[in-house]
Amino acid sequence: MNKSILLTILILMLSINLFAFRVGVFQAKPVCYFEDETFKGIFIDIIREIGSKNKVEVEFVLDEFPKLQEMLLKGEIDVLPGIVYSAERAEIFDFNDEHILSSYGTVYVPESSEFISLLELAGKKVAVAKNAVNYIGEYGIKRIFDTLNIEIDYIEKDNYPEVLQAVHENEAEAGVVDSLFAAINAADYKIKATPIVVNPSDIRYGFTKGTESTAELIEIVDRTLAEMKDDSSSFFYQTMNKYLHNKEYVDNPYLYYIIILCIAVFFFFLYSINYLRKGLKKTSDEIAAKSTQLDLAEYKVEQTYAELKKSNEILKETLNKFENLIGISGALGVRDLDEEGFLAIFLKNTVSIIKEADYGSVSLIRNGEWKFVAAEGYDLDTLKTLRLKADNMYLKQEVQIIDHLYDQYDHDFSKADADILRKGVKPFKQSLVAPFYIDGEFSGNLSLDIAKENELEFSEETKAIISSISGIAASFLELKKNSENKERFQTNIVLSLVKALEYYDEYTRGHSERVAAYASMLSSRLGYAKEMTNKIYWASLVHDVGKIFIPRNILNKVTTLTNREFQEIMKHSEKGEEILRETEGMKEIADIVRHHHERYNGSGYPDGLKGEQIPIESQIISIADSFDAMTTNRPYRNRMNYDEAVEDLRNCIDFMYKKELVDAFICPELLKLFNSYHS
């Protein structure tokens, strides 16, 4: 009896880890990849966590994507992560249902290329990844060009890194890669993105087709994914943040040092006051106790008073410097402050902090030229007329004290430039020069100068202070550069989405731009801030992007839509929100796009919001969208004229639109815009 029990226990123990699955991994950062002897990526980390939660052993197999596809077909591996879903692939593989990521194909070209449209690729060499959906899928680049009867010389590669390398080395004139992969890896190559996008689609886990273990695996994956997605702090969202989300602003270590220095000064001030108070009390006690030594006591009182007065003067100077530091640091938080505005504030406060300095200037390298952008005590307008080469700038690796720069103008510059410099500045005897470095490159400098008649000189202590303070300006310049790069990236994303939609639905061509113009006009008339007007403008441009997921035969149908077809159309606002929420930089306009078909009386979709529950931005876009739809030809009707459309808007007040918005929308500016589009 005991032997049979032991045998049963042994069988159970051996069967605990019998259920395991093999996961294919190919190099597609950040979806999946192998680096530093470790398997990594969004899909790898998530499948590893799913295995851990369900006590299922996971084994990883590294190979090229085409080889892994063959292995999945033969059942040699069980799961292949990061597969772009398509109807063709669903015929040969099984896919999980829970959504993880969406993506689309982006066309990249060499940095020197001027390609901006799909048709310009006719006859060109285009690098593609074998079997990639962005290449051979239903809306892949090959299907698009075959439909248009345009010849393309395709250069097939094994993976996306090879595609980017082919464009980088000019083997190909363009290349199609997954946008998510490119966002992480394209910076390693001398290439740039175009507004051309293809094949918007989901990225999922692929499984061997039709086996019992596949059904069980899919159930485990989808169930665990659903559980994790219900918890906003779960491993799923932590993984997304880890691989996809970056800080909007750069850290500024110099600013931390300055704040620590200011705190130290503040506590030193408290200690000094406490110390002086104790000293004064002690002196007063001595005077009271030694009334017979009046002369000595009086002398001590005078000495103490002198020390207190000196301490107060030092304290006042320290507090002034502290306020100036706060002024510089505070300017970092003003996002709309331009470069010259910030540097003017920075320079003015810096000159106030450094007691030896009489004058100062800030110079930057721009397009190979040395340009003055801020000055204190000098004629900035005169200095801006100089056209100096970047090579003429005083290139320093660190903060340095330099004597007699003013006297060397004739030696360092041409006579014409030296004369302009002397006209723009005042005679000085000594300079403290601090360089700015952005991304490791010398980008300009700060120069503080002492007037010739001033007896003071810069000290090593001052040199150390400037080393810290100049870091604030360098951090601001780097922040501004990163912000501009991000804005350009977001602009390209929006334009790409609009171009993709226009290719997909010919009747929306130009519609998004017109809606954006009408909505921006209304926002400005309502007196909204520039930031909100800009948000409305970008949301208007992509308000219909969800239509990419609606079948074209429904979008372009001439006859009346069936109830089922209209239900499909209604999904586009929700689909648009999903695309934007997954796109970096577009999250804040996702809700605006979701609700642009809500009605003021609550009869709209997708959520049936009513009145002020509807975001005001969505209400504005709804009016602009309806007006443009009414005044342009559609497959099922001819357009209205201006007066007919205006009358229709008025008839729908309190039913579809808020009265105050319609009243503000119907104005001379609207008529002028309308005529510009329909003249």
Side-chain angles (χ1 to χ4, degrees):
M1 180 66 179
N2 290 336
K3 287 183 179 180
S4 63
I5 292 173
L6 288 173
L7 181 60
T8 302
I9 293 172
L10 181 60
I11 292 172
L12 287 173
M13 290 177 66
L14 290 173
S15 66
I16 287 174
N17 286 321
L18 285 179
F19 183 40
F21 56 94
R22 290 160 56 86
V23 179
V25 181
F26 54 98
Q27 295 297 108
K29 190 174 185 179
V31 174
C32 60
Y33 59 102
F34 183 73
E35 183 178 271
D36 299 331
E37 303 301 319
T38 305
F39 292 98
K40 303 177 181 179
I42 296 171
F43 281 70
I44 299 305
D45 289 3
I46 290 176
I47 200 73
R48 189 184 282 121
E49 177 71 6
I50 290 172
S52 174
K53 281 181 172 292
N54 292 276
K55 295 183 172 52
V56 178
E57 187 176 330
V58 181
E59 178 184 345
F60 296 107
V61 178
L62 181 65
D63 214 319
E64 295 289 343
F65 183 76
K67 176 63 175 176
L68 292 170
Q69 275 193 312
E70 293 177 13
M71 295 174 68
L72 190 64
L73 280 170
K74 297 175 181 178
E76 295 174 2
I77 59 174
D78 303 293
V79 184
L80 183 55
I83 297 186
V84 175
Y85 176 85
S86 70
E88 293 93 337
R89 284 180 173 170
E91 295 292 326
I92 58 174
F93 301 126
D94 284 336
F95 290 86
N96 70 299
D97 293 324
E98 280 293 329
H99 176 76
I100 301 175
L101 280 177
S102 295
S103 188
Y104 49 86
T106 300
V107 176
Y108 276 78
V109 296
E111 288 181 341
S112 58
S113 175
E114 299 298 329
F115 289 140
I116 60 172
S117 75
L118 201 65
L119 298 181
E120 289 182 279
L121 296 177
K124 301 296 189 295
K125 294 180 179 180
V126 179
V128 292
K130 294 177 184 176
N131 301 320
V133 173
N134 294 323
Y135 172 36
I136 59 174
E138 183 179 1
Y139 301 112
I141 195 165
K142 187 176 189 306
R143 186 72 62 88
I144 292 173
F145 281 119
D146 288 349
T147 302
L148 297 174
N149 293 318
I150 294 176
E151 292 292 330
I152 297 292
D153 184 5
Y154 297 106
I155 302 175
E156 295 187 344
K157 298 293 181 181
D158 288 332
N159 50 51
Y160 287 138
E162 290 184 11
V163 172
L164 294 181
Q165 188 68 26
V167 179
H168 171 77
E169 294 177 351
N170 292 313
E171 178 187 353
E173 295 165 277
V176 184
V177 294
D178 177 76
S179 61
L180 190 61
F181 172 84
I184 302 297
N185 299 282
D188 296 333
Y189 305 86
K190 291 184 178 180
I191 58 177
K192 64 182 180 181
T194 70
I196 306 170
V197 297
V198 296
N199 204 77
S201 52
D202 279 349
I203 307 176
R204 306 187 189 180
Y205 289 107
F207 300 82
T208 303
K209 186 76 174 179
T211 69
E212 291 184 11
S213 60
T214 289
E216 187 173 354
L217 277 176
I218 291 176
E219 189 279 328
I220 290 172
V221 169
D222 279 341
R223 171 174 48 77
T224 311
L225 274 173
E227 291 171 356
M228 288 194 287
K229 287 161 69 175
D230 284 341
D231 179 4
S232 61
S233 62
S234 70
F235 183 85
F236 177 86
Y237 295 106
Q238 292 174 17
T239 301
M240 293 300 176
N241 288 333
K242 173 183 175 182
Y243 287 99
L244 300 181
H245 297 167
N246 300 312
K247 290 183 179 180
E248 183 175 356
Y249 298 105
V250 296
D251 290 331
N252 182 1
Y254 297 112
L255 190 56
Y256 301 153
Y257 298 150
I258 293 170
I259 292 172
I260 291 171
L261 175 63
C262 294
I263 292 172
V265 170
F266 176 71
F267 280 108
F268 174 75
F269 158 66
L270 291 180
Y271 172 79
S272 299
I273 292 297
N274 187 52
Y275 174 79
L276 290 172
R277 283 177 177 173
K278 288 181 178 179
L280 185 59
K281 185 177 184 300
K282 181 179 179 181
T283 303
S284 299
D285 291 343
E286 289 176 354
I287 292 172
K290 300 178 181 180
S291 57
T292 58
Q293 301 177 4
L294 184 59
D295 291 340
L296 180 60
E298 185 178 354
Y299 171 75
K300 288 184 177 181
V301 171
E302 289 176 353
Q303 287 293 102
T304 303
Y305 176 75
E307 290 177 6
L308 182 59
K309 184 177 180 181
K310 184 177 181 180
S311 296
N312 283 336
E313 290 174 354
I314 294 172
L315 175 61
K316 184 177 180 180
E317 182 179 348
T318 302
L319 288 175
N320 285 336
K321 290 184 178 182
F322 183 85
E323 289 175 359
N324 287 325
L325 282 173
I326 295 298
I328 296 173
S329 304
L332 276 175
V334 183
R335 294 183 61 185
D336 291 331
L337 193 63
D338 61 32
E339 191 176 82
E340 291 192 9
F342 170 82
L343 292 174
I345 294 173
F346 166 80
L347 180 61
K348 181 177 181 180
N349 284 280
T350 301
V351 171
S352 299
I353 291 170
I354 306 304
K355 63 181 180 181
E356 301 99 318
D358 297 300
Y359 320 119
S361 63
V362 175
S363 307
L364 298 177
I365 295 175
R366 288 290 180 265
N367 300 320
E369 289 189 350
W370 170 9
K371 294 181 179 293
F372 286 86
V373 295
E376 191 68 14
Y378 294 150
D379 184 353
L380 181 59
D381 291 336
T382 298
L383 294 176
K384 282 186 173 181
T385 63
L386 284 164
R387 291 293 179 268
L388 301 175
K389 294 181 179 179
D391 296 339
N392 294 130
M393 183 175 276
Y394 300 111
L395 172 57
K396 304 297 177 186
Q397 297 297 322
E398 58 186 12
V399 178
Q400 290 191 17
I401 299 172
I402 307 174
D403 294 320
H404 310 302
L405 282 178
Y406 181 88
D407 299 326
Q408 297 176 23
Y409 281 170
D410 290 328
H411 177 269
D412 295 338
F413 304 95
S414 68
K415 184 178 185 306
D417 289 337
D419 289 342
I420 294 175
L421 279 168
R422 289 198 183 91
K423 182 180 178 182
V425 305
K426 297 173 183 177
F428 58 90
K429 67 175 185 179
Q430 191 179 61
S431 302
L432 184 60
V433 180
F436 301 143
Y437 283 89
I438 301 176
D439 293 335
E441 293 184 4
F442 177 71
S443 300
N445 60 38
L446 160 71
S447 179
L448 301 180
D449 306 317
I450 299 176
K452 282 204 170 186
E453 63 272 18
N454 192 336
E455 295 180 357
L456 296 175
E457 291 188 348
F458 291 117
S459 64
E460 288 298 314
E461 179 184 358
T462 300
K463 182 178 173 182
I465 293 173
I466 285 298
S467 294
S468 296
I469 294 177
S470 63
I472 298 177
S475 293
F476 174 85
L477 295 172
E478 189 169 0
L479 183 153
K480 207 69 176 174
K481 178 183 177 182
N482 290 344
S483 178
E484 291 169 356
N485 288 341
K486 179 181 178 184
E487 184 175 343
R488 281 194 293 270
F489 179 68
Q490 291 177 357
T491 299
N492 286 336
I493 289 175
V494 171
L495 295 177
S496 296
L497 291 173
V498 173
K499 291 293 182 183
L501 176 60
E502 289 183 348
Y503 171 77
Y504 188 69
D505 179 14
E506 63 184 88
Y507 289 97
T508 65
R509 189 159 298 142
H511 170 68
S512 298
E513 288 87 347
R514 292 191 299 272
V515 171
Y518 290 139
S520 300
M521 179 275 295
L522 177 53
S523 178
S524 298
R525 277 183 54 79
L526 294 169
Y528 292 137
K530 180 181 177 182
E531 183 177 354
M532 182 170 178
T533 298
N534 285 341
K535 184 164 61 173
I536 290 172
Y537 176 84
W538 291 115
S540 300
L541 280 180
V542 294
H543 74 283
D544 275 340
V545 72
K547 287 183 178 178
I548 289 176
F549 293 92
I550 309 303
R552 295 184 74 179
N553 64 315
I554 296 178
L555 280 179
N556 299 314
K557 187 176 181 181
V558 177
T559 57
T560 303
L561 294 173
T562 66
N563 185 60
R564 185 192 64 81
E565 289 169 339
F566 186 70
Q567 292 298 318
E568 284 295 314
I569 289 283
M570 289 171 63
K571 293 179 182 178
H572 80 275
S573 57
E574 295 175 87
K575 292 293 184 182
E577 181 211 13
E578 291 177 13
I579 294 174
L580 298 172
R581 201 169 294 284
E582 293 291 338
T583 304
E584 182 65 21
M586 297 286 106
K587 295 183 182 66
E588 66 174 348
I589 65 175
D591 283 335
I592 301 174
V593 170
R594 178 182 179 89
H595 298 300
H596 77 276
H597 275 297
E598 304 285 359
R599 291 179 174 177
Y600 203 67
N601 71 346
S603 63
Y605 62 86
D607 300 314
L609 299 185
K610 182 177 182 180
E612 301 310 314
Q613 294 176 334
I614 308 170
I616 189 66
E617 299 94 336
S618 302
Q619 295 187 51
I620 289 172
I621 294 173
S622 175
I623 294 174
D625 187 27
S626 297
F627 179 80
D628 186 70
M630 289 187 289
T631 55
T632 52
N633 290 322
R634 290 300 169 98
Y636 47 87
R637 58 148 177 81
N638 293 326
R639 71 182 185 91
M640 297 180 182
N641 62 37
Y642 177 85
D643 291 331
E644 290 171 337
V646 166
E647 183 64 23
D648 194 277
L649 288 178
R650 293 193 188 281
N651 290 338
C652 292
I653 286 175
D654 294 333
F655 163 57
M656 292 182 67
Y657 320 115
K658 185 177 181 179
K659 182 179 187 304
E660 290 83 351
L661 296 183
V662 173
D663 290 342
F665 185 68
I666 301 170
C667 62
E669 289 94 329
L670 174 64
L671 180 58
K672 184 177 180 181
L673 265 179
F674 172 85
N675 287 334
S676 71
Y677 290 129
H678 298 283
S679 57

